[in-house]
């Protein structure tokens, strides 16, 4: 994908409706003791369904979060987020969910991952997986999805790295409701940079 650097008009964000619930364990695959220990230390992994007014579900493992985010299309993701980020086969599978099955718990096709935001640099720590109903468009100046307040999902001033999917680039804003300093729309970054490290409060995808 080509790097896009563009300024977009700020879209008014809809109010967020937050519903947090736990999930049952999904398919388990072989794992190393080290990967299991890292996964447990990483903390919670939550999925934010943008098309469902920010409906959020949190999980004990990254694998469970990906199974939820993809509507059960991928149930064997690596347990450790950093391992998943370096697994090119997994990332291609995740990118190919665009236009996939309907989510098991909603009538919306809200199973396209648009980005995964990570607590630490190099895709480590806790994560928030954001999903939408369609891949992002290539139109210059548009905004496909927005999320106005990361405090609602316990991730305010936390993001240090991120990965994008579904043809999406993401812009990180310092304040809720897209205020303060911001990044341009960017693809995956192992480190968000000193200026915005642990300072993001709202997001837009294009």
């Amino acid at each position: 994908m080509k790097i896009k650097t563009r300024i977009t008009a700020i879209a008014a964000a809809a109010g967020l409706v937050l519903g947090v619930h736990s999930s049952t364990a999904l398919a388990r695959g072989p794992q190393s003791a080290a990967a299991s220990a890292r996964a447990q230390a990483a903390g919670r992994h939550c999925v934010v369904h943008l098309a469902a007014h920010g409906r959020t579900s949190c999980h004990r493992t990254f694998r469970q979060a990906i199974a939820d985010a993809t509507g059960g299309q991928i149930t064997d993701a690596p347990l450790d987020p950093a391992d998943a980020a370096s697994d090119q086969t997994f990332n291609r599978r995740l990118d190919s969910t665009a236009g996939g099955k309907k989510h098991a718990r909603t009538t919306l096709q809200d199973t396209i991952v648009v980005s995964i935001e990570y607590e630490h640099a190099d895709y480590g720590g806790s994560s928030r997986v954001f999903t939408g109903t369609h891949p992002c468009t290539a139109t210059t100046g548009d905004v496909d999805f927005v999320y106005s307040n990361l405090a609602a999902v316990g991730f305010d001033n936390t993001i240090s790295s991120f990965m994008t999917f579904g043809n999406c680039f993401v812009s990180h804003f310092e304040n809720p409701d897209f205020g303060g300093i911001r990044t341009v729309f960017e693809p995956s970054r192992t480190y968000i940079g000193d200026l915005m490290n642990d300072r993001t409060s709202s997001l837009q995808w294009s």
Side-chain angles (χ1 to χ4, degrees), residues 3 7-8 10 17 48 61 71 73 75 78 89 96 117 121 129 140 156:
I3 302 297
I7 303 299
T8 64
I10 300 302
V17 177
V48 183
T61 69
Q73 295 178 75
T75 60
T89 299
S96 71
E117 308 290 322
V129 183
T140 301
D156 190 35

Side-chain angles (χ1 to χ4, degrees), residues 8-22:
T8 64
I10 300 302
L16 300 176
V17 177
L18 179 63
V20 178
H21 63 275
S22 62

Side-chain angles (χ1 to χ4, degrees), residues 119-134:
E119 178 185 12
H120 301 316
D122 298 313
Y123 316 124
S126 298
S127 67
R128 297 296 182 269
V129 183
F130 291 86
T131 70
T133 54
H134 57 82

Side-chain angles (χ1 to χ4, degrees), residues 1-197:
M1 292 189 297
K2 294 181 178 179
I3 302 297
K4 297 187 282 188
T5 54
R6 61 180 186 249
I7 303 299
T8 64
I10 300 302
L16 300 176
V17 177
L18 179 63
V20 178
H21 63 275
S22 62
S23 70
T24 56
L26 294 165
R28 293 183 176 89
Q31 59 175 320
S32 68
S36 178
R38 289 196 304 270
Q40 291 178 6
R44 290 199 313 173
H45 304 281
C46 299
V47 182
V48 183
H49 300 280
L50 297 170
H53 305 290
R55 180 180 64 80
T56 303
S57 51
C58 291
H59 305 270
R60 185 175 58 85
T61 69
F62 183 75
R63 177 179 294 167
Q64 291 170 339
I66 293 300
D68 178 14
T70 62
Q73 295 178 75
I74 300 176
T75 60
D76 58 352
L79 282 173
D80 180 50
D83 287 346
S86 64
D87 187 331
Q88 294 304 310
T89 299
F90 165 73
N91 288 310
R92 284 193 296 270
R93 291 173 64 201
L94 193 57
D95 221 15
S96 71
T97 60
K101 301 174 184 176
K102 290 186 178 182
H103 194 281
R105 289 191 296 274
T106 179
T107 57
L108 294 171
Q109 288 183 323
D110 197 10
T111 59
I112 298 172
V113 174
V114 296
S115 79
I116 305 176
E117 308 290 322
Y118 299 88
E119 178 185 12
H120 301 316
D122 298 313
Y123 316 124
S126 298
S127 67
R128 297 296 182 269
V129 183
F130 291 86
T131 70
T133 54
H134 57 82
C136 291
T137 63
T139 305
T140 301
D142 73 333
V143 175
D144 290 274
F145 304 103
V146 299
Y147 197 79
S148 64
N149 192 350
L150 286 166
V153 289
F155 227 53
D156 190 35
N157 299 322
T158 301
I159 295 168
S160 292
S161 59
F162 57 94
M163 294 191 75
T164 58
F165 302 90
N167 199 41
C168 294
F169 286 33
V170 61
S171 179
H172 297 76
F173 291 80
E174 177 187 19
N175 299 331
D177 298 313
F178 321 114
I181 61 175
R182 56 165 292 186
T183 68
V184 296
F185 286 103
E186 297 180 296
S188 303
R189 292 283 183 264
T190 59
Y191 179 56
I192 196 171
D194 291 344
L195 183 63
M196 284 298 291
N197 186 45

